[in-house]
Amino acid sequence: MTNYAVEVDGLRVVRGGREVVRGVTFTVPRGTVTGLLGPSGCGKTTLMRAVVGVQIVAGGAVTVLGHPAGSPALRRKIGYATQNPAIYTDLTVTEAVRYFAAILDAPAADVGRVIAEVGLTDHAHAVIGTLSGGEHSRANLAVALLGRPGLLVLDEPTVGLDPVLRDSLWDLFARLARQGTTLLVSSHVMDEAARCDRLLLMREGALLADDTPAALRDLTGAADLEQAFLRLIRDREAAIS
Ligand SMILES: Nc1ncnc2c1ncn2[C@@H]1O[C@H](COP(=O)(O)OP(=O)(O)OP(=O)(O)O)[C@@H](O)[C@H]1O
């Protein structure tokens, strides 16, 4: 068994006639939280879609938990929470999570567990359409946790959450990683980068860096990761011109 949950080699993706992922290569070690960071439109969602196996790719290879991305063998091994919650708004949180648990063949006890893990126990019987944006996206995240998938791919799971909730979700991600789950989490909030074991910094469809937060600070001499990212961009642009 390889030590990597995700292996991406020379991935290229064309969308709307434009190459939006341009020959990206990286690995994600098992049992870690890897942050995928970069400005809006840099290709984070597209890269995640390729890992989940729902993106047509123009070139390269994506291997997930030892199988080619999109293989039927991976169907229950990946939890994917998209940016736009895909959960029925006319059901209660418990009804919706129970519905997906049945589809995924997840144990019945998982329903209460995942609702508690995203901090929605007090809203378990609220209709999803009446929840706030942050609660709605946490209900969506709960579905991704069903069945304890080996890989969680979470697209901006903390958008719209207050700092306390964001902090508790990052605690949850770290706890899941300690239990052996691998997490690939996108964000464009740089202060969340410090909570990751490894960072993939993306810009304009290419990877600027693939390292630990500490190594990125050392490499750039920057005090915080936002500055480190800006310095990497500046150095890259200076090298090109
Ligand atoms: N369905 C689509 N058709 C054509 N182009 C698309 C499509 N979806 C995304 N793109 C383009 O692909 C590029 C990468 O988009 P992507 O959604 O992967 O970026 P992102 O980094 O996730 O952005 P954000 O942080 O805003 O979600 C963008 O230039 C976007 O305009």
Side-chain angles (χ1 to χ4, degrees):
M1 186 172 81
T2 141
N3 286 331
Y4 300 112
V6 179
E7 297 168 87
V8 173
D9 186 15
L11 177 67
R12 295 190 303 107
V13 178
V14 174
R15 291 184 100 173
R18 219 161 46 84
E19 193 169 61
V20 297
V21 175
R22 301 184 288 125
V24 164
T25 297
F26 64 91
T27 51
V28 176
R30 287 179 189 258
T32 60
V33 182
T34 295
L36 177 57
L37 285 104
S40 180
C42 72
K44 301 182 296 297
T45 299
T46 305
L47 186 57
M48 290 185 138
R49 284 168 50 85
V51 169
V52 172
V54 296
Q55 177 66 55
I56 294 172
V57 306
V62 182
T63 307
V64 178
L65 304 171
H67 301 274
S71 301
L74 292 172
R75 224 164 266 158
R76 298 204 179 144
K77 294 185 176 163
I78 303 178
Y80 178 36
T82 61
Q83 265 178 56
N84 301 316
I87 189 164
Y88 302 107
T89 52
D90 52 349
L91 300 181
T92 69
V93 173
T94 300
E95 285 166 349
V97 175
R98 200 179 278 148
Y99 170 80
F100 284 106
I103 290 178
L104 295 167
D105 234 352
D110 248 20
V111 173
R113 174 184 68 86
V114 298
I115 291 173
E117 278 185 331
V118 300
L120 280 181
T121 303
D122 288 349
H123 299 280
H125 300 295
V127 173
I128 290 175
T130 67
L131 297 177
S132 73
E135 289 159 355
H136 193 164
S137 75
R138 278 185 286 147
N140 193 46
L141 176 58
V143 171
L145 300 178
L146 282 167
R148 298 185 188 273
L151 174 68
L152 279 172
V153 178
L154 309 178
D155 200 351
E156 308 223 10
T158 60
V159 162
L161 301 186
D162 64 70
V164 175
L165 273 173
R166 281 205 290 144
D167 194 54
S168 75
L169 279 191
W170 280 96
D171 284 345
L172 168 65
F173 300 159
R175 200 164 64 241
L176 291 167
R178 279 197 302 275
Q179 291 164 3
T181 305
T182 306
L183 293 95
L184 180 61
V185 184
S186 74
S187 174
H188 49 239
V189 184
M190 282 294 161
D191 65 2
E192 295 191 332
R195 305 287 307 260
C196 299
D197 299 309
R198 296 193 65 82
L199 294 174
L200 300 168
L201 294 185
M202 217 177 163
R203 188 163 191 255
E204 293 173 0
L207 275 190
L208 271 188
D210 171 5
D211 222 324
T212 63
L216 283 174
R217 283 193 212 95
D218 286 351
L219 177 73
T220 57
D224 64 55
L225 288 163
E226 179 133 15
Q227 285 303 321
F229 192 27
L230 291 172
R231 279 186 202 177
L232 283 170
I233 291 173
R234 215 170 45 213
D235 292 352
R236 179 68 60 97
E237 279 169 0
I240 292 168
S241 61

